[in-house]
Amino acid sequence: MIIQLEKEIAEEQKQRILQQIKEIQYKITEVHTQYGDYLIAIGKNEFDIRRFGHLPGIKDIHIVSDTYKLVSRKWKVQPTTIDLGDGVQIGEGSLAIMSGPCSIESEPQIRSMVNHLKENGVRIMRGGVFKPRSSPYTFRGMGIEGLQLFYEVCKANGIKIISEVMQVSQIEPMYPYVDVFQVGARNTQNFNLLDELGKVDKPVMIKRGISGSIDELLQSAEYVFSGGNEKILLCERGIRTYETASRNTLDLNAVPILKEKSHLPVIVDPSHGIGIRTYVEPMALAAVMAGADGIIYESHEKPEEAASDGQQTLNFAESAALIHKLRKTFELRQELKV
Amino acid sequence: MIIQLEKEIAEEQKQRILQQIKEIQYKITEVHTQYGDYLIAIGKNEFDIRRFGHLPGIKDIHIVSDTYKLVSRKWKVQPTTIDLGDGVQIGEGSLAIMSGPCSIESEPQIRSMVNHLKENGVRIMRGGVFKPRSSPYTFRGMGIEGLQLFYEVCKANGIKIISEVMQVSQIEPMYPYVDVFQVGARNTQNFNLLDELGKVDKPVMIKRGISGSIDELLQSAEYVFSGGNEKILLCERGIRTYETASRNTLDLNAVPILKEKSHLPVIVDPSHGIGIRTYVEPMALAAVMAGADGIIYESHEKPEEAASDGQQTLNFAESAALIHKLRKTFELRQELKV
Amino acid sequence: MIIQLEKEIAEEQKQRILQQIKEIQYKITEVHTQYGDYLIAIGKNEFDIRRFGHLPGIKDIHIVSDTYKLVSRKWKVQPTTIDLGDGVQIGEGSLAIMSGPCSIESEPQIRSMVNHLKENGVRIMRGGVFKPRSSPYTFRGMGIEGLQLFYEVCKANGIKIISEVMQVSQIEPMYPYVDVFQVGARNTQNFNLLDELGKVDKPVMIKRGISGSIDELLQSAEYVFSGGNEKILLCERGIRTYETASRNTLDLNAVPILKEKSHLPVIVDPSHGIGIRTYVEPMALAAVMAGADGIIYESHEKPEEAASDGQQTLNFAESAALIHKLRKTFELRQELKV
Amino acid sequence: MIIQLEKEIAEEQKQRILQQIKEIQYKITEVHTQYGDYLIAIGKNEFDIRRFGHLPGIKDIHIVSDTYKLVSRKWKVQPTTIDLGDGVQIGEGSLAIMSGPCSIESEPQIRSMVNHLKENGVRIMRGGVFKPRSSPYTFRGMGIEGLQLFYEVCKANGIKIISEVMQVSQIEPMYPYVDVFQVGARNTQNFNLLDELGKVDKPVMIKRGISGSIDELLQSAEYVFSGGNEKILLCERGIRTYETASRNTLDLNAVPILKEKSHLPVIVDPSHGIGIRTYVEPMALAAVMAGADGIIYESHEKPEEAASDGQQTLNFAESAALIHKLRKTFELRQELKV
């Protein structure tokens, strides 16, 4: 059960609600976010919800049977929109496009990318400065200095930044320089990191785990929400299966399922989802028709020279063509009311 | 190496070619189809292809390094179109729509479905009369009598039939009454069945195995082709993964990959691919943007009363809406030259 | 619900039982095997089993909630033993060892293998004459002539034969020459083949499908049993996962689970289960400790010259060592009452 | 290429070696552990290893083609033994047994467990105080106070402790109270955590990721080793597959493969590997025959009252029986020289 409290609830009123919950022997978690105060009550005894309905101080109340609660559409029917400021929004009714290199490499690289995005009306740039790499002997990213460089150029050009955070100690230094924290597929169940991102007032995009289930992704989002941060994006990026013809198996089934189970925006990453440059375009367009609220893909002025992931990265001509087609496809989806 | 022979090759010319292949110690398989005569030569020794180039009687020659040969796009660059007669064709440049119930149940059921298809301009109806079922105690289909009924109604209305064949002994009795033989996901590697379908001059649609790889699907198609039948359709219908939120994981990555690896048309089955009625529409439209040449989906006048698969079957209103949207989406794909 | 009928039941008694089942609106399947006559009644209405308990002509009756019925341990608590004649038995209380080449290649090959088995006291030889191969251009086995050769040598030496049957039309010609029909992993859900093997009075070993679930394997066994043949062996041979370091992932979890769910003997194939020669021994011994009733593995006088599967095949010295260790390990398992 | 340097190498000698590596344009990583100083040189140019062979200051040198280097058996052929002090060792030639509850709950719980272990001659106790849980609303462990309690009782009784560390900030507070840091399956690719554990002089046991490959596990071990810590244990604990009859699919194939690829000890966790109490025993014994150097399993005085994982936890009688059988099975393995 989720109880949303009135902002101006009196302490006495709150105590009375807590008392009632204790009487039905439910375990209570108090959640305070940027937008509201909630009581999450979990237990097994049956009870009559009307015993709560008349209590003063309650704004809203619902029984949510899912293992996740606040991110469930059973709690909040209206889709959530994430506002990045300066008119940049992510959510139903528009298609968010995020593009950029796998790794931030240099100032000239950032500048050429920013120009490419501006020319094509894209407002959000992706780029990693901390890179999770299977082998300890490979390039691990430019670090916080790279991020500052990234920020200066983007800030001056009205471009928002999404970048991956790998551990708790990076949150504070990264905070001034990112607009969206990205949690990578290897960290989807790094619960300490999720807890801490719950205390931050900036949006968090959580990628689905390498073999993570849809329910696990939603439970990871619940960590961030219950930690205090309602600004969450979900990202499908392909799962690990037996098939070796593609890097991962992009699970577009997850798009309509996530959209129905949760009120959060759903982003698709076709670059990691298929892992082969020439197939990124059809998979990106397919993701739009499946219902995605946004697409994040890798681009680079010279993919063949990229520090990482070059084989799945579009060059600027391919990227410009894709952006045009994404918009046309989204228009049709709106028109057809899919 | 594939060598296509001239139709009018002299026996002496052929012997000379065979002799040359033996000299490089390659194993030869002779293939005779509706359309041509081929020599498939497989071996490991390196050789100069020019030793064959000048030999009389050779129409075309290519080295194909894939494990599949005649179905490879390295052999035949032009996409294949399958002609069902009466103006019904499947292949690049058009979008084939096939719809109908999981199981044929009765004449009234067939009639109402045929009317629904005609009203919406659909020319191909699916419907099973032999049903592969995990448990021996469930409905196994109406059998050959059901198929005859199916045929009479469709024939009278200009509708083509696709229906599943489960074993060799069904091929002959089914032959007069089907336009496309369907090989189900549990029979993708039933090599005896594929061999025999190679001897038949009617199109065969092969579904990807429940956990079949893309390469295995192409090798299964190679069985039919090398058996003598070039009329083959490939079908992606979802694969088995750890995710339980959907019946299968529809692997749309397979669509652009199959299109590049092979010249055969690629069909997508979103009904089995996700297994949940309300999500069939977005996945079908996604499949079109991913590059599918056709969509096969389950429909029924009253899905809740269907003998099987009701939970993933569209009713007529949903089906009509989907058909309209499929065509609009295909138009956009053509326009955008995806 | 399963009702086993008395052998000498009067027709009138049987009709009375059928009438009672119809009254609770259950669907009835009559099953006649080598050993008994059964009524399988399936339905959803609740009823009091005592309404059947007093009816004359009933030998035994149980409610079995599994999707499989006659192969369930809820129906038959005592483990089943399969008798191959001449003192060769497979089942709890002993460890069956089956060994031999992937493919039967020649008479000298058979003779050397038979000698190897006799020297080591092994009574069952495996060997394929019909080979399921992904590519149509590879060796497909010696066929029925190879099997006759195989039979003559084995018969003269008191060795029993297990060999794979790939399609219905092979059952009759194979019948005189095999002691156990093997159904391969690609045919686990070839329901027509299973149906027909139900009509045969020789044991059938069913391999788990390439990505088959444990329940699906039991349902496939139910096909054979309900077709009329109670002589069934189950075989775990590795499943398809994302891991590529081994050919398959041998799922030894399946052994204790199958032993508890079913009364049928469970065999393990470590050769296909791991696919690498040097690891076959530890996996075979692990399978014994996990509870296997038998081990089937590939051996060859000269594995490096084998027509197929050489990389996972033991030579005679390795095979002899394994046989010794298998017996020692089985002795310990009996002693420890695992 | 790995170059191990002499302990007393002169700076000048080292510079000469570094210079030679730069000449072949290899990237160098310097590694300093408790036991040695290494240069890891990675590149693509071919070179003659003899150009290094004669250089003073080099203790050992090998080309290692694996993606992991220092943990590879190509570098170190002799198996590694991990010494926990007080005569407790883990490695080839003995079988390490580690047992205890999923979660530390109370002092009486710890005491009864310690008594159980002492009675059965087991020297290592497992127990979590930080619990990774999918849902934020469930019990997350007793924290560092629980660990202190755990330590006091164990210390007084000569029992060593293995406990899970979830994030970098827990390493320092946990350090005085654990003998082995455990990295859980959700953190196998938490590279920051692995980096930091490389700086610690206590053994680290790394569990295979939920869908981690064998190579990824070895690369994660390489992080710890190259960070400076050679004391590493590898743990197979089951992988995620489509099969739902067991909690995970215990991949015992991984045991002989890991033993051949790496010199590090391999531990198996049958409790998570199958997830069902009655099957833990056969899977634990199977793991020993497959070649495991140790077994870690969950036990509790009253599993039905355990705070977590009760369904896969043995009671003391079951645990005592298992310990006896593990030793008998290990004895046989040694005797048979598997």
Side-chain angles (χ1 to χ4, degrees), chain D residues 19-212:
Chain D
Q19 185 53 38
Q20 287 281 322
I21 300 174
K22 274 173 206 154
E23 277 172 24
I24 57 167
Q25 291 173 295
Y26 273 46
K27 184 173 165 288
I28 302 164
T29 306
E30 291 197 34
V31 169
H32 307 282
T33 76
Q34 310 104 325
Y35 303 130
D37 300 310
Y38 311 84
L39 301 175
I40 314 300
I42 293 175
K44 290 195 171 160
N45 295 322
E46 298 212 3
F47 66 94
D48 185 342
I49 197 169
R50 286 171 297 183
R51 74 186 290 170
F52 294 97
H54 71 283
L55 294 177
I58 290 182
K59 188 172 168 193
D60 202 358
I61 181 166
H62 278 286
I63 291 177
V64 176
S65 55
D66 298 319
T67 49
Y68 42 89
K69 306 290 174 190
L70 291 156
V71 304
S72 172
R73 202 145 199 166
K74 289 182 189 138
W75 164 247
K76 182 166 174 288
V77 175
Q78 288 305 312
T80 290
T81 295
I82 306 295
D83 193 341
L84 305 192
D86 302 323
V88 183
Q89 291 191 325
I90 304 175
E92 270 191 35
S94 65
L95 183 74
I97 301 178
M98 318 184 202
S99 184
C102 177
S103 302
I104 294 300
E105 295 160 12
S106 70
E107 196 180 324
Q109 179 219 29
I110 303 168
R111 290 204 181 279
S112 77
M113 178 56 61
V114 162
N115 288 339
H116 168 66
L117 297 180
K118 284 178 77 177
E119 280 167 19
N120 290 280
V122 171
R123 301 289 305 277
I124 312 173
M125 179 169 160
R126 59 151 288 150
V129 296
F130 301 109
K131 302 303 303 174
R133 304 300 294 268
S134 311
S135 164
Y137 306 122
T138 42
F139 176 62
R140 300 212 210 169
M142 285 184 76
I144 205 73
E145 296 74 22
L147 185 60
Q148 287 164 344
L149 215 63
F150 189 4
Y151 175 75
E152 279 163 36
V153 184
C154 285
K155 178 75 181 171
N157 287 277
I159 301 286
K160 302 293 172 185
I161 286 176
I162 177 168
S163 194
E164 179 166 355
V165 57
M166 280 177 68
Q167 62 175 329
V168 171
S169 66
Q170 290 164 354
I171 296 174
E172 208 180 296
M174 288 180 75
Y175 184 86
Y177 309 117
V178 296
D179 299 288
V180 183
F181 285 99
Q182 177 181 312
V183 175
R186 289 177 189 78
N187 277 313
T188 308
Q189 294 199 310
N190 184 332
F191 301 121
N192 301 114
L193 182 61
L194 297 171
D195 271 342
E196 292 303 313
L197 288 167
K199 300 176 187 158
V200 170
D201 188 23
K202 285 210 173 169
V204 176
M205 183 175 86
I206 310 175
K207 287 196 159 186
R208 185 178 181 184
I210 286 172
S211 66

Side-chain angles (χ1 to χ4, degrees), chain C residues 31-154:
Chain C
V31 169
H32 307 283
T33 76
Q34 309 104 324
Y35 303 130
D37 299 310
Y38 310 85
L39 301 175
I40 314 301
I42 293 174
K44 289 193 173 162
N45 295 322
E46 299 212 3
F47 66 95
D48 186 341
I49 197 169
R50 285 172 296 183
R51 76 186 289 170
F52 294 97
H54 70 284
L55 294 176
I58 290 182
K59 188 173 169 192
D60 202 358
I61 181 167
H62 278 286
I63 291 177
V64 176
S65 54
D66 298 319
T67 49
Y68 42 90
K69 305 290 173 189
L70 290 155
V71 303
S72 172
R73 202 145 198 166
K74 289 182 189 138
W75 163 247
K76 181 166 175 288
V77 175
Q78 288 305 312
T80 290
T81 295
I82 306 295
D83 193 340
L84 305 192
D86 301 322
V88 184
Q89 291 192 324
I90 304 174
E92 271 190 35
S94 65
L95 183 74
I97 301 179
M98 318 184 203
S99 184
C102 177
S103 302
I104 293 301
E105 295 159 12
S106 69
E107 196 180 323
Q109 179 218 31
I110 303 167
R111 288 202 181 281
S112 77
M113 178 56 61
V114 163
N115 287 339
H116 168 65
L117 297 179
K118 283 177 78 177
E119 280 167 18
N120 289 280
V122 171
R123 301 289 305 277
I124 312 173
M125 180 169 160
R126 58 151 290 152
V129 297
F130 300 109
K131 302 303 303 174
R133 303 301 294 268
S134 311
S135 163
Y137 306 122
T138 41
F139 176 62
R140 300 210 209 170
M142 284 183 77
I144 205 72
E145 296 73 23
L147 186 60
Q148 286 164 343
L149 215 63
F150 188 5
Y151 175 75
E152 279 163 35
V153 183
C154 285

Side-chain angles (χ1 to χ4, degrees), chain B residues 6-206:
Chain B
E6 298 282 2
K7 276 281 176 197
E8 263 96 83
I9 189 172
E11 182 58 28
E12 190 192 47
Q13 291 172 331
K14 186 171 161 189
Q15 287 308 322
R16 205 168 141 207
I17 297 166
L18 291 172
Q19 185 54 37
Q20 287 281 321
I21 299 174
K22 273 171 205 153
E23 276 172 25
I24 58 167
Q25 292 174 297
Y26 272 47
K27 186 174 162 288
I28 302 164
T29 306
E30 292 198 33
V31 169
H32 306 282
T33 75
Q34 310 103 324
Y35 302 131
D37 300 311
Y38 310 85
L39 301 174
I40 313 300
I42 292 174
K44 290 193 172 159
N45 296 321
E46 298 211 1
F47 67 93
D48 186 341
I49 198 169
R50 287 171 295 183
R51 75 186 289 169
F52 294 97
H54 70 284
L55 293 177
I58 291 182
K59 187 173 169 192
D60 202 358
I61 181 166
H62 277 287
I63 291 178
V64 177
S65 54
D66 298 318
T67 50
Y68 42 89
K69 305 290 173 191
L70 291 156
V71 304
S72 171
R73 202 144 198 166
K74 289 182 189 138
W75 163 248
K76 182 165 174 287
V77 176
Q78 288 305 312
T80 290
T81 294
I82 306 295
D83 193 341
L84 305 192
D86 301 322
V88 183
Q89 291 191 324
I90 304 175
E92 272 192 34
S94 66
L95 183 74
I97 301 179
M98 318 183 202
S99 184
C102 177
S103 302
I104 294 299
E105 295 160 12
S106 69
E107 197 181 321
Q109 179 218 29
I110 303 167
R111 289 204 181 280
S112 77
M113 177 55 60
V114 163
N115 288 339
H116 168 65
L117 297 180
K118 284 178 76 177
E119 280 168 18
N120 290 280
V122 171
R123 301 289 305 276
I124 312 173
M125 178 168 162
R126 59 150 290 151
V129 297
F130 300 110
K131 303 302 303 173
R133 304 301 294 267
S134 310
S135 163
Y137 307 123
T138 40
F139 177 62
R140 299 211 210 169
M142 284 183 78
I144 205 72
E145 296 73 24
L147 185 61
Q148 287 163 344
L149 215 62
F150 189 4
Y151 175 75
E152 279 162 35
V153 184
C154 285
K155 179 73 181 170
N157 287 278
I159 301 286
K160 302 292 172 183
I161 286 177
I162 177 169
S163 193
E164 179 166 355
V165 57
M166 280 178 68
Q167 62 175 329
V168 170
S169 66
Q170 291 163 352
I171 296 175
E172 208 180 295
M174 288 180 75
Y175 185 85
Y177 309 116
V178 296
D179 298 288
V180 183
F181 284 99
Q182 177 180 312
V183 175
R186 289 178 189 78
N187 277 313
T188 309
Q189 294 199 309
N190 184 333
F191 302 121
N192 299 113
L193 182 61
L194 298 171
D195 271 341
E196 292 303 313
L197 288 167
K199 299 177 187 159
V200 170
D201 187 24
K202 285 211 173 169
V204 176
M205 183 175 86
I206 309 174

